[in-house]
Amino acid sequence: MSNLEAEPAELVCDGQPEAGIQVLEPREVPLGGPRAMTVRRTLPQRERSLIGAWCFVDHYGPDPVAETGGMTVPPHPHTGLQTVSWLFEGEVEHRDSSGAHAMVRPGEVNLMTAGAGIQHSEVSTPATTRLHGAQLWVALPDRDRHVAPFFEHAEPEPIAMGPATLRVFVGELAGSRSPVRTFTPLIGAQLDLPAGESIELPVDERFEHGLLVDAGLALLDGIEVPHTYLGYAAPGRSSLRIAAGEHPVRALLLGGEPLGEPIVMWWNFIGRDHDEIVAFREQWQTEVIEGATDAGRFGIVQGWNGRALPAPVMPDVRLKPRD
């Protein structure tokens, strides 16, 4: 999904972990015009920029498509990242300039590696009456961020762990491994836990973790994480205790080794400095929006009839790391 904010802020991420459990409140972000989808963004924010290499967490729905218009995101660019699409309800059609054309449905994962540059579109299908899911980004490390773009789709098998059900869509957890490719050690999984139950989940001590609560009220190592909030656990834990209150919990567990290198995020680009972001934007505007070439950095999305999404205007100040 695109970051459709008209005036996207500069985001400089240092990836440095902090001790303890931290509860992050979402902020609502309207994507587009008057009938825009509204998403709840818990990452990045002032209190925390990254969890491992996870750098962007948008949570949306359940939205009645007849009222909101659903998801119609024209072709838009990405650099230096992977997008991870995960649904609870609905169906979304994906097309990208690597030639991929695929659907994403509940319990399936679409992972698109932008690398050096890609463009893609996302549209909820006519059969979708309610749309509900999460759009996640992973920052690529400097050594791999110019890799050629590619696309993967997988359907993780649910596994039982005590009273909980896990669906591991990125990385490895509890003996279940996702087949999709990652460039840093990561975990992404859906966890379903019945009301009143708890689980002691073995995790990698090197990882920091985030628990995004989609339904119910969760306790993360005894700290309440309300519905739509994200609970953060610093590295150093060999297990996480997750408990459900009086209602069942559905949550996404996101984690990984701290990235340990600064990144600059602006609109749909991830780079390392101001000049690089400016160059990405100029290439997008020239090659795609002005139609200079179909063979440039971002290629072309076959099967899309209509215009691509123009980039917002760059801010008046240089994008630079903040202390």
Side-chain angles (χ1 to χ4, degrees), residues 16-58:
Q16 298 303 311
E18 297 174 3
I21 297 289
Q22 183 182 28
V23 179
L24 302 176
E25 182 177 0
R27 65 183 178 95
E28 291 194 345
V29 179
L31 301 183
R35 295 186 73 217
M37 282 180 59
T38 295
V39 300
R40 298 173 293 274
R41 185 165 297 163
T42 47
L43 206 68
Q45 56 176 274
R46 188 179 304 276
E47 290 79 9
R48 179 152 303 280
S49 300
L50 296 125
I51 297 176
W54 298 100
C55 60
F56 188 88
V57 176
D58 273 1

Side-chain angles (χ1 to χ4, degrees), residues 23 54 72 90-91 138 146 156 200 254 265 275 293 305:
V23 179
W54 298 100
T72 303
E91 181 182 62
V138 176
H146 298 297
E200 194 82 22
L254 308 172
M265 292 174 59
D275 293 335
T293 179
N305 297 315

Side-chain angles (χ1 to χ4, degrees), residues 92-156:
V92 172
E93 182 179 24
H94 166 100
R95 297 177 186 268
D96 71 44
S97 55
S98 78
H101 178 208
M103 302 295 181
V104 61
R105 303 177 181 92
E108 305 174 6
V109 63
N110 278 2
L111 186 146
M112 184 185 74
T113 299
I118 201 168
Q119 60 168 306
H120 74 133
S121 63
E122 294 163 294
V123 180
S124 51
T125 63
T128 299
T129 57
R130 296 213 314 171
L131 196 58
H132 185 188
Q135 183 65 44
L136 315 166
W137 294 0
V138 176
L140 293 174
D142 190 57
R143 66 179 182 272
D144 298 308
R145 66 192 182 96
H146 298 297
V147 68
F150 61 94
F151 176 85
E152 297 169 281
H153 176 93
E155 301 179 28

Side-chain angles (χ1 to χ4, degrees), residues 152-239:
E152 297 169 281
H153 176 93
E155 301 179 28
E157 290 289 332
I159 61 168
M161 186 171 184
T165 301
L166 295 172
R167 291 172 174 82
V168 180
F169 53 84
V170 169
E172 182 176 8
L173 182 68
S176 179
R177 174 181 285 275
S178 171
V180 300
R181 184 180 177 188
T182 60
F183 293 83
T184 55
L186 289 175
I187 178 62
Q190 179 178 321
L191 182 147
D192 293 86
L193 191 61
E197 297 284 1
S198 64
I199 182 174
E200 194 82 22
L201 189 62
V203 295
D204 193 318
E205 292 184 2
R206 301 168 300 167
F207 284 19
E208 49 187 346
H209 292 89
L211 188 73
L212 175 68
V213 179
D214 175 67
L217 170 70
L219 282 85
L220 177 60
D221 282 359
I223 302 299
E224 287 191 357
V225 184
H227 173 231
T228 75
Y229 283 57
L230 188 148
Y232 168 82
R237 292 168 168 78
S238 59
S239 67

